[in-house]
Amino acid sequence: MSDPRRRGVVWLGSPAFPEAARTALADEQLRANLKRATGTIRDKRLAVAAELDDWEELRESAAAIKKRISRHLDRYLLELEASVTAAGGTVHWAADAAEANRIVTELVRATGASEVVKVKSMATQEIGLNEHLAEAGITAYETDLAELIVQLGDDRPSHILVPAIHKNRTEVRDLFVAEMGHWGQPAPEKLSDAPRELAEAARLHLRQKFLTAKVAVSGANFAVADTGTVMVVESEGNGRMCLTLPETLITVMGIEKVIPAWQDLEVFFQLLPRSSTGERMNPYTSTWTGTTEGDGPRDFHLVLLDNGRTDTLADTVGRQVLACIRCSACLNVCPVFERTGGHAYGSVYPGPIGAVLTPQLVGVENAASLPFASTLCGACYDACPVKINIPEVLTHLRAEAVKGKGAASAEALAMKAAATVLDSPRLLAAAQRAAALGGKVLAREGRIGRLPGPLSGWSDTRDTPAPPAESFRTWWRKNRKEERP
């Protein structure tokens, strides 16, 4: 497995999830912001999903399409390349983050531009494109409102759909006033934290960038193999401005985003908006096929990004995470994410999907704590519009993480000891007697506090029930009566 620094998915220097989660849990304002935002989105999603009598059938259809794609991904990608090329676009293949960054930087330099405007893109965050462009003297301006907030605050996104979910509107107002002038149009005087005024401040700030930028960089929600059509769905219209006004458009897309045919969109366009924003349809759905004389960008480049996806595809259990359509429904129902936020995951991809996607993109050994960042409650599986069995992948990756520690790991030794005890009635009885004795010493009000030694990690975050004073085996031996004929 390659070095995660080359792939760029994880944030170097980030603490492991348990440590980062403790810090996040201590931030009461963060927890309040997360609870309010995820609760609102969750309720809206449930309401609009319930309007469709065939919701479960749509989920089954989407899952079937995605499974077909994973079986024939090579064929669909070659078909997509041929379709885009025939429509006047140029396709580039990037094996990893470094290659993708190099391709995009060279394309921007060839135009002579020193600035680019960006449509919200998880793929470009994954490869650290903004930072790489900055090193080359090229400034990237985020135009999605939430991404703009993150950029102005020199922050990191904490949610797939709402990257600035960890901030409330008062914090956003203060950030606009302090930082907008350093990036261009300053915030209006006496700006309040009213949503309408904040949106207007962002519009005024970005308008000049839209009108002067020669190059735009986008991600993609889907790309249709048989037509070569690429598309972005968004809620603000900033994407439409970026996709139509600049002379050059560069799209960076993970290879798993390809779909076989145009009619497949019928399924995904019903599932995605309802699962992500709780809307019946996206306010803006932009599609483009190559280039058209006198309409839109004169040059279109599609960068197909692997960056660990082929390795993930090789795992017959883990590959199902490539079906993700980045709706973020799993984040909004996850009790862990709601309390810790996205930064605790130390990755571009937070929440349940990040806990299973990140370790596969960078190698389990480089994100070993993430598969354990879950209660395994299964809410993510129930919410996923493409039926990714996230709990199954979590347990699969947990086993890989333990296996990677070798035979001498604490988990391996504990399981080996447990197997030996459970295989011997004599040892089991002795262990039960010892547990009962230890429980009498350690228990207070029927609960044990902090356990000693290597077991302390378990008891730091939960109460441990005291073992019963008498085991069932002992009770049975005392109380059973011999049956008489």
Side-chain angles (χ1 to χ4, degrees):
M1 188 64 65
S2 64
D3 189 333
R5 289 173 294 185
R6 184 168 65 86
R7 287 190 170 161
V9 182
V10 294
W11 294 321
L12 296 181
S14 297
F17 182 84
E19 181 183 345
R22 278 193 290 271
T23 301
L25 288 169
D27 188 335
E28 295 184 5
Q29 184 62 63
L30 171 67
R31 292 173 63 182
N33 295 347
L34 290 168
K35 182 177 181 180
R36 186 183 309 109
T38 57
T40 299
I41 300 172
R42 184 167 60 240
D43 292 344
K44 289 175 64 179
R45 182 189 67 83
L46 288 171
V48 295
E51 295 175 352
L52 298 182
D53 294 334
D54 61 345
W55 180 254
E56 290 304 316
E57 287 78 5
L58 286 168
R59 293 179 71 210
E60 290 286 353
S61 296
I65 293 169
K66 285 293 189 175
K67 286 178 182 177
R68 187 166 80 249
I69 293 168
S70 69
R71 289 195 300 269
H72 307 291
L73 183 59
D74 55 345
R75 189 184 84 196
Y76 291 129
L77 288 172
L78 291 174
E79 185 179 1
L80 174 65
E81 179 184 33
S83 299
V84 170
T85 303
T90 304
V91 176
H92 309 262
W93 298 80
D96 54 29
E99 189 171 7
N101 285 329
R102 176 183 57 77
I103 290 170
V104 175
T105 302
E106 290 177 356
L107 290 173
V108 176
R109 278 177 171 165
T111 68
S114 60
E115 297 181 349
V116 301
V117 288
K118 285 188 65 199
V119 185
K120 179 183 175 184
S121 165
M122 297 295 295
T124 59
Q125 291 173 4
E126 175 185 325
I127 64 177
L129 178 62
N130 287 13
E131 294 79 5
H132 190 273
L133 289 175
E135 291 175 1
I138 301 167
T139 304
Y141 293 96
E142 297 289 352
T143 65
D144 174 85
L145 178 56
E147 291 289 352
L148 173 64
I149 294 167
V150 170
Q151 185 176 51
L152 292 176
D154 192 23
D155 202 351
R156 290 169 172 171
S158 63
H159 191 278
I160 289 176
L161 178 69
V162 194
I165 197 172
H166 54 291
K167 292 188 178 295
N168 60 35
R169 65 191 194 189
T170 300
E171 293 171 314
V172 172
R173 187 272 315 278
D174 294 343
L175 185 62
F176 278 11
V177 171
E179 298 296 334
M180 268 188 170
H182 299 150
W183 289 80
Q185 175 89 9
E189 293 183 7
K190 299 181 181 180
L191 178 67
S192 78
D193 63 359
R196 181 169 182 168
E197 288 194 29
L198 295 175
E200 178 66 7
R203 186 188 72 82
L204 293 173
H205 176 77
L206 293 171
R207 181 54 56 97
Q208 182 183 9
K209 301 301 180 185
F210 288 139
L211 295 176
T212 59
K214 293 184 178 181
V215 181
V217 177
S218 84
N221 290 96
F222 305 101
V224 183
D226 65 353
T227 66
T229 304
V230 184
M231 58 202 64
V232 163
V233 296
E234 38 107 10
S235 300
E236 301 165 13
N238 61 294
R240 184 70 55 83
M241 301 287 279
C242 292
L243 298 167
T244 56
L245 294 178
E247 297 173 1
T248 300
L249 173 61
I250 304 169
T251 297
V252 182
M253 184 190 89
I255 56 176
E256 80 281 13
K257 295 295 187 70
V258 65
I259 61 173
W262 183 267
Q263 57 264 35
D264 295 325
L265 293 171
E266 177 188 0
V267 174
F268 293 109
F269 276 179
Q270 293 185 76
L271 291 169
L272 179 56
R274 286 177 166 83
S275 298
S276 57
T277 57
E279 297 171 295
R280 297 178 182 87
M281 66 180 293
N282 289 97
Y284 293 91
T285 300
S286 300
T287 69
W288 62 98
T289 307
T291 59
T292 302
E293 184 66 31
D295 183 13
R298 294 199 298 264
D299 295 302
F300 168 57
H301 298 270
L302 176 62
V303 181
L304 295 174
L305 176 69
D306 186 329
N307 207 39
R309 288 158 174 80
T310 300
D311 291 339
T312 303
L313 191 64
D315 187 328
T316 55
V317 176
R319 68 172 55 161
Q320 58 185 299
V321 304
L322 295 179
C324 176
I325 58 175
R326 307 292 191 266
C327 68
S328 75
C330 62
L331 280 69
N332 299 324
V333 300
C334 178
V336 176
F337 177 87
E338 184 179 308
R339 288 159 179 80
T340 65
H343 291 159
Y345 293 81
S347 167
V348 169
Y349 300 107
I353 190 62
V356 291
L357 178 60
T358 300
Q360 295 191 87
L361 293 182
V362 305
V364 175
E365 68 277 9
N366 296 309
S369 68
L370 289 186
F372 298 89
S374 170
T375 64
L376 297 180
C377 66
C380 50
Y381 186 21
D382 293 337
C384 179
V386 292
K387 302 195 74 170
I388 300 172
N389 192 339
I390 293 178
E392 178 187 36
V393 184
L394 284 167
T395 55
H396 169 67
L397 294 176
R398 288 182 181 188
E400 292 296 314
V402 172
K403 189 187 304 181
K405 294 178 181 178
S409 70
E411 294 93 337
L413 292 173
M415 291 301 103
K416 186 175 181 179
T420 301
V421 170
L422 293 173
D423 194 47
S424 168
R426 180 178 59 82
L427 291 176
L428 177 60
Q432 289 174 330
R433 288 193 298 271
L437 179 61
K440 290 179 181 178
V441 175
L442 298 173
R444 294 179 180 178
E445 299 180 357
R447 297 282 175 179
I448 295 177
R450 194 173 190 272
L451 291 170
L455 299 177
S456 61
W458 170 271
S459 58
D460 280 346
T461 54
R462 54 180 66 80
D463 290 331
T464 305
E470 183 179 57
S471 70
F472 175 77
R473 291 160 58 91
T474 303
W475 178 90
W476 180 259
R477 201 176 296 116
K478 287 181 179 179
N479 294 281
R480 70 175 182 168
K481 294 181 180 179
E482 296 292 341
E483 295 184 4
R484 299 181 182 277

